[in-house]
Amino acid sequence: VPGPLGPWWWCRAIFMGRVEAEMPPPPPGCGLFWLGLVLGSICTALQFATQANSATDALNVLLIIVDDLRPSLGCYGDKLVRSPNIDQLASHSLLFQNAFAQQAVCAPSRVSFLTGRRPDTTRLYDFNSYWRVHSGNFSTIPQYFKENGYVTMSVGKVFHPGISSNHSDDSPYSWSLPPYHPSSEKYENTKTCRGPDGELRANLLCPVDVVDVPEGTLPDKQSTEQAIQLLEKMKMSSSPFFLAVGYHKPHIPFRYPKEFQKLYPLENITLAPDPQVPDRLPPVAYNPWMDIRQREDVQALNISVPYGPVPVDFQRKIRQSYFASVSYLDTQVGHLLSALDDLQLANNTIIVFTSDHGWALGEHGEWAKYSNFDVTTRVPLMFYVPGKTASFLEEGEKLFTYRDPFDSVSELMEPGSQSMDLVELVSLFPTLAGLVGLQVPPRCPIPSFQVMLCREGRSLLKYFQFHDMEKDPYLHGNPRELIAYSQYPRPADAPQWNSDKPSLKDIKIMGYSIRTIDYRYTVWVGFNPDKFLANFSDIHAGELYFVDSDPLQDHNMYNDSQGGKISRSLIP
């Protein structure tokens, strides 16, 4: 456990609810003083909970985190993807059109936005360290809510499981109850995909008959059922709750109920608009999508490493299965929101919907995350705030009636309110705290490794002042002053077997990327993994794309700009 283990630390640990069986024993010589502390802390905690429970106007939070979901949704203008339930949520929400993750890989992104710190502060660029030990004992969003009287609950993939969340989803710090993981999750990467020959294989493309898979269910179905049960229990409680629900799809493998394939006939599936590797793309910027190459159906294609390409007919099948997975995900979100509505919780529950990062579906010849391009760093982000983004419901009224994606007459629902400003996922922490009326954590000093509670993202609260913004457009600020930062590590200048997910010890280069309203600028510089230091005098490559003339980021203008004369002071 991080931190000094003196008596006063123990006092604080008890009060914050952090004493667990695996912790070391109390300091010697405490005796009755120790017993008094324990009993006193219990009384204090009960009194604190009672005070919190009496606050009937406290807003609950439902945070929905999706794995590998790019903004391929109807509410983001995608004409092909059927996502009626997410679109319905968007119609009652404030939707951010330009939201960006800080690193396009699961564990670093999730630790970043759940702590409100950037990867260079969490020092997590891979999957192999726990930030509280490796970097600093940073508070998380659910921990902050828990410490302020909320019952905090985790369902599915919220933190990335494993070392990066201490094999415990950051328990007991973040959660009031043991985190829930669906039992069928263990079959995700096993031979459960029936191939054309009738044999079971571990494929990338894995539409299934749910009754035939182990346990007769899928992880996201189980997560929805568990989340609904928790909502039913919390409906009977007077305590406010913070419920985080993490959905697996559309993360690979694309294992989803096979009927969703019917929504996307292959003849309707187009290729990516830019399926070729750009001529002027630096090799260090390319990722060779090694994880999909490990799937049996992709191995059978004998695709050359590192650049491919994937055969055209299989490209269409990948895109088909990604979109089908999104529609399957949409039904789970629909069932969850409909249950929340049925429980009459829509008037006092904030709903946030987002993703940890995007995923390339053939753009730039890539089939993965693991880059700094918009297609992998841009994510959906929307906030439903009762009384702000939508009116309070009258008796018997419903906002989130379940919508069937197979209903061909279902009309497209437009987002309620939208912002085109650039925002970052590290803004989640201060924004959620402010929306429920908690004190917004202060800005982090530099450095902040010894500071438990602070945030590196700006608060987005001003975007919810709709009437004030209509009267005073200057509240929006100057969009050209807004910057979204991301970064990605590489082990070498050229693509190799571990370019996608290098371990910390193997990182030799860091790609720091700036996204503004006008351009994306990336510089690949030398990086020392022992000292966590980037050397901006050691430039390996650069990228510069102008948004208006090159929205897909295919034409690198870095060399034309003599090394990209953009101020290095913009790099945090």
Side-chain angles (χ1 to χ4, degrees), residues 310-470:
V310 174
V312 168
D313 60 338
F314 202 80
Q315 290 187 38
R316 287 193 169 89
K317 290 179 180 178
I318 295 176
R319 290 169 67 87
Q320 175 195 47
S321 276
Y322 184 93
F323 299 145
S325 297
V326 172
S327 291
Y328 162 56
L329 157 77
D330 180 79
T331 63
Q332 299 310 301
V333 173
H335 289 309
L336 177 59
L337 297 184
S338 178
L340 180 136
D341 223 349
D342 290 341
L343 291 167
Q344 299 180 333
L345 290 169
N347 265 351
N348 63 341
T349 302
I350 292 172
I351 304 169
V352 183
F353 179 91
T354 193
S355 167
D356 51 0
H357 44 70
W359 210 80
L361 284 168
E363 293 86 358
H364 311 112
E366 296 179 327
W367 299 91
K369 45 240 185 183
Y370 315 134
S371 82
N372 283 316
F373 285 119
D374 277 17
V375 73
T376 63
T377 56
R378 183 170 168 246
V379 296
L381 178 63
M382 61 189 79
F383 293 78
Y384 162 76
V385 184
K388 286 187 177 289
T389 64
S391 301
F392 289 113
L393 300 181
E394 300 294 336
E395 187 73 28
E397 192 178 0
K398 289 194 67 174
L399 277 185
F400 303 118
T401 303
Y402 177 77
R403 296 166 65 86
D404 189 345
F406 292 92
D407 183 357
S408 59
V409 298
S410 179
E411 77 279 5
L412 178 63
M413 303 185 75
E414 296 293 331
S417 302
Q418 299 186 60
S419 173
M420 302 301 294
D421 284 2
L422 279 79
V423 299
E424 303 175 291
L425 286 187
V426 283
S427 291
L428 274 176
F429 199 151
T431 304
L432 272 175
L435 285 173
V436 301
L438 298 180
Q439 183 175 347
V440 175
R443 283 273 195 177
C444 289
I446 300 176
S448 64
F449 298 110
Q450 304 303 316
V451 182
M452 285 182 61
L453 179 63
C454 67
R455 43 90 182 194
E456 294 181 349
R458 66 188 180 101
S459 168
L460 305 180
L461 289 177
K462 72 173 186 178
Y463 293 97
F464 297 89
Q465 301 168 5
F466 300 113
H467 297 299
D468 293 339
M469 285 189 167
E470 290 173 5

Side-chain angles (χ1 to χ4, degrees), residues 63-80:
L63 172 60
I64 302 173
I65 303 169
V66 184
D67 211 347
D68 288 18
L69 178 64
R70 55 195 257 164
S72 292
L73 301 165
C75 52
Y76 278 88
D78 194 302
K79 303 300 184 185
L80 178 65

Side-chain angles (χ1 to χ4, degrees), residues 71-361:
S72 292
L73 301 165
C75 52
Y76 278 88
D78 194 302
K79 303 300 184 185
L80 178 65
V81 174
R82 299 186 67 82
S83 52
N85 294 287
I86 298 171
D87 298 345
Q88 180 172 246
L89 172 63
S91 73
H92 303 300
S93 299
L94 170 59
L95 181 147
F96 289 93
Q97 284 283 354
N98 289 295
F100 293 89
Q102 277 49 77
Q103 188 177 329
V105 67
C106 304
S109 176
R110 290 165 186 260
V111 169
S112 172
F113 68 72
L114 287 167
T115 62
R117 320 274 184 123
R118 301 181 188 279
D120 274 352
T121 302
T122 66
R123 291 179 168 174
L124 180 68
Y125 313 109
D126 56 12
F127 299 82
N128 304 321
S129 66
Y130 181 40
W131 78 92
R132 294 189 190 273
V133 173
H134 191 66
S135 179
N137 190 20
F138 307 145
S139 296
T140 68
I141 299 174
Q143 177 184 352
Y144 188 54
F145 276 71
K146 178 183 174 185
E147 291 169 353
N148 281 278
Y150 278 71
V151 176
T152 57
M153 301 164 287
S154 172
V155 171
K157 186 178 177 181
V158 178
F159 285 99
H160 190 87
I163 297 172
S164 63
S165 57
N166 203 31
H167 297 284
S168 66
D169 297 284
D170 195 43
S171 294
Y173 291 96
S174 288
W175 309 111
S176 306
L177 304 177
Y180 170 85
H181 285 279
S183 58
S184 63
E185 187 177 289
K186 59 182 173 286
Y187 304 111
E188 276 293 281
N189 294 303
T190 60
K191 294 177 182 289
T192 59
C193 316
R194 197 167 298 282
D197 57 0
E199 296 295 318
L200 292 178
R201 304 189 183 280
N203 286 345
L204 172 66
L205 311 181
C206 192
V208 297
D209 191 334
V210 176
V211 298
D212 289 340
V213 300
E215 300 187 27
T217 189
L218 295 173
D220 287 344
K221 285 178 172 287
Q222 288 184 288
S223 291
T224 299
E225 292 163 1
Q226 176 68 14
I228 291 172
Q229 290 179 22
L230 291 173
L231 288 176
E232 291 170 347
K233 291 178 181 177
M234 293 311 302
K235 171 66 176 178
M236 307 305 294
S237 171
S238 55
S239 297
F241 65 81
F242 179 102
L243 173 59
V245 180
Y247 285 115
H248 283 263
K249 294 304 112 180
H251 192 287
I252 63 170
F254 301 124
R255 187 167 172 259
Y256 58 90
K258 64 182 182 180
E259 57 267 26
F260 286 90
Q261 220 173 24
K262 298 175 183 176
L263 292 171
Y264 303 98
L266 276 175
E267 58 267 24
N268 294 346
I269 303 298
T270 61
L271 301 181
D274 53 348
Q276 306 298 324
V277 179
D279 290 337
R280 302 173 72 176
L281 181 71
V284 70
Y286 185 81
N287 75 81
W289 31 280
M290 297 303 293
D291 46 4
I292 78 163
R293 295 175 189 270
Q294 298 169 14
R295 311 289 165 168
E296 291 185 42
D297 51 350
V298 178
Q299 287 179 346
L301 299 173
N302 196 26
I303 300 170
S304 64
V305 179
Y307 292 107
V310 174
V312 168
D313 60 338
F314 202 80
Q315 290 187 38
R316 287 193 169 89
K317 290 179 180 178
I318 295 176
R319 290 169 67 87
Q320 175 195 47
S321 276
Y322 184 93
F323 299 145
S325 297
V326 172
S327 291
Y328 162 56
L329 157 77
D330 180 79
T331 63
Q332 299 310 301
V333 173
H335 289 309
L336 177 59
L337 297 184
S338 178
L340 180 136
D341 223 349
D342 290 341
L343 291 167
Q344 299 180 333
L345 290 169
N347 265 351
N348 63 341
T349 302
I350 292 172
I351 304 169
V352 183
F353 179 91
T354 193
S355 167
D356 51 0
H357 44 70
W359 210 80
L361 284 168

